[in-house]
Amino acid sequence: MDIAALSTALSQGKIAQQASISVLRMSMVTALQQANDFTQMLQAQTKALELSVQPHLGSNLDIRI
């Protein structure tokens, strides 16, 4: 077995693994960002729906002592 060839193959394998991990991290960050955006959008839609169903509720506060 050629030591130089084995060393080169291991080095290339290590580089390929690092590249795969880097791509995976980028996709995880993107997925997290999309999940956060979706959550914010869903909260905004929920608030809009609540106001459209009963817009008069919660807009005034009547207090008598």
Side-chain angles (χ1 to χ4, degrees), residues 47-60:
K47 184 67 174 171
L49 283 173
E50 287 174 356
L51 291 176
S52 70
V53 174
Q54 297 177 344
H56 60 281
L57 292 180
S59 59
N60 295 323

Side-chain angles (χ1 to χ4, degrees), residues 11-26:
S11 178
Q12 288 176 348
K14 184 177 179 182
I15 291 171
Q17 184 180 20
Q18 288 173 346
S20 295
I21 290 171
S22 179
V23 170
L24 181 61
R25 281 188 185 141
M26 287 190 297

Side-chain angles (χ1 to χ4, degrees), residues 1-54:
M1 228 190 207
D2 188 15
I3 300 294
L6 182 60
S7 175
T8 303
L10 288 175
S11 178
Q12 288 176 348
K14 184 177 179 182
I15 291 171
Q17 184 180 20
Q18 288 173 346
S20 295
I21 290 171
S22 179
V23 170
L24 181 61
R25 281 188 185 141
M26 287 190 297
S27 68
M28 287 174 58
V29 168
T30 302
L32 181 62
Q33 193 172 30
Q34 288 175 344
N36 288 336
D37 292 343
F38 181 73
T39 302
Q40 289 175 355
M41 183 182 68
L42 188 59
Q43 289 173 348
Q45 287 295 333
T46 302
K47 184 67 174 171
L49 283 173
E50 287 174 356
L51 291 176
S52 70
V53 174
Q54 297 177 344

